[in-house]
Amino acid sequence: CCSNNGDLRVAVSKLFNNNTLPEYLIIESTGIGDPLPIVKTFMRPEFIRQARVDSIVTVVDVENIQDSLSDISVIKNQIKFADFILLNKCDRVPEQAVNTVRALIREFNNDSRMLMTVKCSAPLEVILGARVYAEKMIALQHNHHSDNCGHGCDDHNESNHGFISVAFSSNKLLDPDKFQDFLQNFDNLQNHHF
């Protein structure tokens, strides 16, 4: 797939400019790709009305995950943000090893749905159309707004799973590139009031 977010935007734009739109679009992020930049692509103004992120699916090689998990933060992000985790190669390891991997994954993501697979064979009707990503984001927003803290919510970013929300409105068109720059520099701007 596209390792560069800009390449992904171009490819998706071409696809959406076709007369025939796909029912589903599956993006494979090649091994150790971070899912968050891909998700952000579909939250851009030019795509948000044409597509929605249905779910993030991560494949975990139960035979080798313990060797690679300690070194690479991207793998941890893949597990942390996954809605579905396919525990693959379950036929090659004892059941106890699968249970150990399950427990290890639960340390990073207690909410994902895990499916034991061989050669990544998983029922598409379970994964496609699940809408779990949208449900998860709605739940996160609901949990954040239901906190009755009695003061400004800026102090509660940690309880918001690292996500920060900002709202603004304008009657002018939004420049996607300038907005992306704003988001990338947001950490430096948090102390400013707009």
Side-chain angles (χ1 to χ4, degrees), residues 66 93-103:
Q66 290 181 335
V93 297
E95 185 177 342
Q96 181 57 38
V98 174
N99 291 336
T100 300
V101 170
R102 284 172 163 261

Side-chain angles (χ1 to χ4, degrees), residues 48-88:
I48 201 150
R49 288 197 171 117
Q50 295 174 303
R52 66 174 162 74
V53 176
D54 186 74
S55 60
I56 297 173
V57 180
T58 297
V59 177
V60 171
D61 178 346
V62 295
E63 199 172 32
N64 298 301
I65 187 66
Q66 290 181 335
D67 296 333
S68 52
L69 192 59
S70 62
D71 296 334
I72 303 175
S73 64
V74 174
I75 293 173
K76 292 177 184 176
N77 273 353
Q78 288 180 343
I79 292 170
K80 184 178 177 182
F81 295 109
D83 301 304
F84 290 99
I85 296 177
L86 304 183
L87 299 173
N88 198 40

